[in-house]
Amino acid sequence: MAEPAASVLDVRDLKTVFRTRGGEIHAVNDVSFHLKPGELLGVVGESGSGKSVTMMSLLRLLPSPPADIRGGKALLNGRDLLAMSDEELRSVRGAKVGFVFQDPMTSLNPVFTLGNQIMEPLMKHMRMSRSEAETRAVELLDLVGISDARNRLYQYPHQFSGGMRQRVMIAIALACDPDVLIADEPTTALDVTIQAQILELVKELRRKLGMAIIWITHDLGVIAGIADRVMVMYGGQVVEHAPVRELFANPQHPYTRALLQTIPRITGPRTTRLRVIEGQPPILTGPLTACPFRARCEHRFDTCDAVNPSRRAIDGQPVGQGHDVACHWVAPARQEPAHA
Amino acid sequence: MLDAAPTPLVQVQDLKMHFPIYTGLFRRHTGDVKAVDGVSFDITAGQTLGLVGESGCGKSTVGRAMLRLYEPTAGRVVIDGDDVATLTAEALRKKRPTMQMVFQDPQASLNPRMTLAEIVSEPLEEHTNWTRDQKLERVYELMDQVGLNRRFVNRFPHEFSGGQRQRIGIARALALKPRFIVCDEPIAALDVSIQAQVVNLLEDLQEKLGLTYLFISHDLSMVRHLAQRVAVMYLGRIAELSPSKDLYARPLHPYAEALLSAVNEPDPELAARRNRIILKGDVPSPANPPKGCNFCTRCPKVMDICRTVKPDLLEVEPGRLVACHLYTAAGSTGASEANERNQQGEDQ
């Protein structure tokens, strides 16, 4: 039922390397994923796992040098983003693909009014006149729940709170009706009650507009609430991929399993001792020749030191469609509820 | 916390920390940012009090004012028998070894030009007249305690990872064998897999050394794990102060309830079922707080009295202090509504 042709975005074997004085850092190692229309893909990983670099590479947002995209394809509606000219790419950024960054304080320009910043993509990409763009900007601010939109257009970013600024960022990203919205830790800098507001907003916008979303975060709690599918990254590669319920109910990779156990819960029995993942994340100074998680893994055996595991499906579906994991160790089967 | 309990190690009474606002040509004093506006609590020796709230609610300011990193505007802070808020400079200096702090950002709180040994032994430099060897011996001992390899003793902060840097910060805080430590968001800057390491370390140290913690955090699930009692702050005041298990099972203050419902549980089944309370709007400015209850502008259960009278923090159930008119006779319909709420809470 899942034909790859139906994907809005299809990324294959993406590889990004940073050239530094201390040698090469292999930040993204053969990452493949796809995104269907209207779907929300969660990308989870800790800092340095390559989740942001992957998404920035797609739109070639990383300064080069030091960044160097070594290989792979990123097909947006069939056209390869990585093979486009700068000119073509400019017509994609902000128009076909919207980007919301983590920190709403630094991603808005403090010396321009909000109106200016929302209208800019509209006038550039959609070739709207000033007054058309203004009307649309008011609509957008209404859409993201900012009251008194017409007057707000003439205000500057410092006159808005953090949550409001993130709403504005979302409005800008949505301005040109993108096919794909990439949100890089959009709620991390916000307080929980404001975070809850933004999450509700995104759910509502998805219902209304139906665009596909990639949501990058380190917070498994956020992912649990909004994602359809989840991709767990570690050491610059995808270590596990599954539909959201399947991932939380039946995690396969030792990293995912441990991660779920290190977080204390707010309901249920109180934890007496937190489970710890010993050690540090790997430093990716060369191509991976062994499993990047092996030094911290409790199930490590000989093969882990010799071969970097590739993704294997565990539910019979092709890799990338259902549940797959990049690990040599086979998790003990759990008591399967009979397949419905 | 109850009558039978021993005298608390730390007692804070009506602590206020106002920062003056000066405006105009003559820098006239035109107002105050009431960052902390009458906060009272106590902490039993060997226990952890969690202090939670959103950014700007004054939780870090409480921690800093308690250790007199700020000069408190009013109030008493009794730590181990002495009122820290009024000690003279010299007496305060003598008192400092018993109370220490672990800061949020291990990157910013360690001097990049000092080695680990220099950082950790600086308090010893200041407060003891030990020889070099004695100090180094103590540094090694501390490094063992916090799980840092002794070989790293001459390294600089940039050579360590975030989790290791936080261990250095903890070792420095422990150098003078304090009894009370303010942990100001010690894990906020760390990755999830590293957070657990640091939290477990803090717990081990507490058990081994009998430390008393004030654990300031916005991470409500981590506070649940760590603290015996939790104070929820909103706009410079405590909204609710309850034993941890009661608060998380059934929050009484509407703000505590909303805050807990906003926490994301890593469980898709639960997330789909749960009814969240989404608060409208933003936190008002502490320079110009609402006239009545500080939460009245966003409270889903607001009543008329809330807009005019500030509620006091009162014991409404054994061991549970709440500042809300819903629970006092003054709120005319309060009692019945409160009962309703409680029943709802138990149903869930």
Side-chain angles (χ1 to χ4, degrees), chain B residues 3-319:
Chain B
D3 319 322
T7 355
L9 180 78
V10 179
Q11 282 173 291
V12 177
Q13 284 163 10
D14 207 23
L15 181 68
K16 289 186 183 166
M17 186 65 234
H18 296 179
F19 297 97
I21 306 168
Y22 299 104
T23 46
L25 184 58
F26 301 106
R27 313 313 294 162
R28 277 192 312 141
H29 181 193
T30 49
D32 291 294
V33 175
K34 293 175 181 159
V36 177
D37 200 22
V39 162
S40 307
F41 57 83
D42 45 47
I43 315 176
T44 313
Q47 289 205 343
T48 303
L49 177 75
L51 189 56
V52 299
E54 300 178 87
S55 37
C57 73
K59 55 191 193 301
S60 289
T61 310
V62 167
R64 285 165 175 259
M66 279 175 74
L67 300 190
R68 247 178 94 188
L69 300 181
Y70 298 137
E71 288 298 324
T73 312
R76 278 158 56 82
V77 180
V78 180
I79 298 178
D80 201 11
D82 297 307
D83 182 4
V84 176
T86 55
L87 286 181
T88 60
E90 188 49 34
L92 182 64
R93 215 183 82 86
K94 293 236 170 64
K95 183 78 186 167
R96 289 250 178 246
T98 56
M99 45 184 210
Q100 291 289 320
M101 187 151 183
V102 176
F103 295 92
Q104 168 169 7
D105 188 350
Q107 176 103 48
S109 58
L110 303 177
N111 188 332
R113 306 179 68 161
M114 287 165 82
T115 63
L116 190 162
E118 287 167 342
I119 291 169
V120 176
S121 64
E122 203 184 12
L124 303 170
E125 210 75 55
E126 188 67 24
H127 288 279
T128 67
N129 44 17
W130 293 0
T131 64
R132 255 186 71 124
D133 287 348
Q134 282 176 309
K135 278 183 280 193
L136 192 61
E137 193 42 50
R138 177 72 180 139
V139 170
Y140 280 137
E141 198 182 301
L142 289 162
M143 289 176 74
D144 293 344
Q145 267 180 357
V146 301
L148 286 166
N149 194 318
R150 287 187 176 205
R151 280 184 301 141
F152 299 160
V153 72
N154 288 318
R155 291 198 185 174
F156 290 92
H158 74 265
E159 296 175 89
F160 294 95
S161 67
Q164 286 174 321
R165 281 192 208 125
Q166 200 53 285
R167 286 172 196 265
I168 300 174
I170 294 170
R172 174 176 61 185
L174 291 176
L176 295 165
K177 308 200 169 160
R179 300 197 58 194
F180 173 57
I181 298 184
V182 174
C183 304
D184 186 4
E185 304 252 16
I187 54 164
L190 306 176
D191 269 316
V192 184
S193 73
I194 309 294
Q195 284 184 354
Q197 297 177 2
V198 173
V199 165
N200 282 356
L201 171 67
L202 286 170
E203 283 184 306
D204 290 343
L205 292 169
Q206 180 167 44
E207 196 171 312
K208 245 186 277 172
L209 308 173
L211 297 169
T212 305
Y213 291 141
L214 175 69
F215 191 86
I216 301 170
S217 180
H218 65 271
D219 185 339
L220 288 144
S221 7
M222 200 56 95
V223 167
R224 174 173 187 240
H225 169 76
L226 266 168
Q228 284 80 33
R229 288 197 307 149
V230 181
V232 180
M233 273 188 81
Y234 186 80
L235 208 61
R237 297 170 72 92
I238 291 181
E240 176 164 356
L241 175 59
S242 289
S244 169
K245 62 175 193 330
D246 298 337
L247 176 75
Y248 286 87
R250 184 168 55 88
L252 294 180
H253 195 284
Y255 176 65
E257 197 182 2
L259 194 64
L260 285 175
S261 92
V263 174
N264 298 295
E265 275 277 66
D267 182 345
E269 310 280 342
L270 207 65
R273 271 190 286 125
R274 211 151 64 127
N275 263 334
R276 291 178 147 214
I277 304 167
I278 307 286
L279 291 178
K280 298 267 185 311
D282 288 310
V283 184
S285 156
N288 184 20
K291 187 160 165 264
C293 173
N294 277 351
F295 189 52
C296 72
T297 55
R298 298 171 83 197
C299 184
K301 302 190 165 97
V302 65
M303 304 177 291
D304 287 340
I305 185 174
C306 304
R307 298 187 208 279
T308 48
V309 183
K310 278 213 194 305
D312 292 321
L313 190 65
L314 299 171
E315 183 159 6
V316 300
E317 280 176 32

Side-chain angles (χ1 to χ4, degrees), chain A:
Chain A
M1 74 183 184
E3 315 113 62
S7 305
V8 238
L9 183 66
D10 196 355
V11 176
R12 287 180 215 153
D13 301 321
L14 183 73
K15 212 169 167 52
T16 305
V17 173
F18 287 95
R19 292 187 195 152
T20 66
R21 270 196 311 179
E24 290 185 340
I25 303 289
H26 291 245
V28 178
N29 301 302
D30 299 318
V31 167
S32 302
F33 64 93
H34 68 101
L35 189 66
K36 284 181 226 141
E39 187 181 40
L40 198 150
L41 173 70
V43 183
V44 194
E46 44 198 304
S47 34
S49 64
K51 53 196 195 305
S52 295
V53 175
T54 301
M55 300 310 156
M56 306 266 272
S57 300
L58 296 183
L59 293 182
R60 305 217 303 261
L61 289 172
L62 298 162
S64 174
D68 179 12
I69 299 170
R70 282 280 163 84
K73 278 195 164 84
L75 304 174
L76 179 73
N77 294 323
R79 292 170 67 211
D80 191 355
L81 294 170
L82 301 179
M84 278 183 187
S85 68
D86 289 353
E87 195 61 38
E88 285 175 294
L89 197 60
R90 209 167 300 140
S91 70
V92 171
R93 288 182 191 145
K96 300 272 187 292
V97 182
F99 223 111
V100 180
F101 295 94
Q102 171 170 359
D103 189 351
M105 314 294 160
T106 50
S107 36
L108 288 169
N109 190 330
V111 299
F112 288 106
T113 61
L114 284 185
N116 249 313
Q117 299 185 55
I118 301 175
M119 281 148 61
E120 186 187 351
L122 293 170
M123 284 153 56
K124 284 247 161 68
H125 291 301
M126 317 274 277
R127 308 201 178 285
M128 285 187 183
S129 71
R130 218 183 152 76
S131 61
E132 283 170 342
E134 204 171 289
T135 315
R136 173 83 176 129
V138 172
E139 278 172 28
L140 285 164
L141 287 182
D142 275 340
L143 187 69
V144 297
I146 290 180
S147 53
D148 194 18
R150 189 156 289 279
N151 292 321
R152 290 288 198 166
L153 285 182
Y154 304 101
Q155 292 187 342
Y156 289 88
H158 74 265
Q159 291 167 296
F160 288 75
S161 66
M164 298 280 265
R165 275 182 250 194
Q166 201 55 291
R167 286 172 192 263
V168 172
M169 284 305 295
I170 293 173
I172 294 175
L174 294 178
C176 301
D177 240 333
D179 300 326
V180 178
L181 179 72
I182 301 178
D184 189 354
E185 305 249 12
T187 57
T188 307
L190 306 174
D191 281 311
V192 274
T193 58
I194 309 295
Q195 190 176 26
Q197 289 176 1
I198 298 287
L199 290 177
E200 281 309 305
L201 171 69
V202 169
K203 281 187 206 165
E204 190 194 314
L205 290 175
R206 260 186 87 192
R207 274 196 299 273
K208 273 192 205 156
L209 309 174
M211 72 263 178
I213 303 177
I214 298 176
W215 191 283
I216 305 174
T217 181
H218 66 272
D219 188 338
L220 285 165
V222 171
I223 286 294
I226 58 167
D228 300 317
R229 280 188 300 135
V230 188
M231 177 164 107
V232 183
M233 291 189 70
Y234 190 85
Q237 58 188 18
V238 179
V239 293
E240 185 157 8
H241 166 275
V244 66
R245 285 180 184 223
E246 167 74 6
L247 185 90
F248 283 87
N250 187 20
Q252 291 291 306
H253 198 281
Y255 175 64
T256 320
R257 296 164 75 101
L259 207 55
L260 282 169
Q261 285 171 20
T262 58
I263 323 171
R265 303 291 173 100
I266 207 145
T267 51
R270 183 166 166 266
T271 37
T272 46
R273 182 81 182 165
L274 291 182
R275 167 92 194 266
V276 162
I277 308 178
E278 291 298 346
Q280 306 289 332
I283 297 160
L284 304 164
T285 43
L288 290 171
T289 53
C291 174
F293 188 60
R294 68 187 188 286
R296 308 173 79 184
C297 184
E298 55 178 8
H299 301 293
R300 176 183 184 174
F301 58 102
D302 298 345
T303 319
C304 307
D305 299 325
V307 185
N308 184 17
S310 48
R311 289 164 70 178
R312 63 181 163 83
I314 65 153
D315 56 359
Q317 297 196 55
V319 166
Q321 303 294 338
H323 191 168
D324 61 76
V325 60
C327 182
H328 297 300
W329 176 72
V330 180
R334 62 173 180 148
Q335 293 83 346
E336 285 283 339
H339 277 292

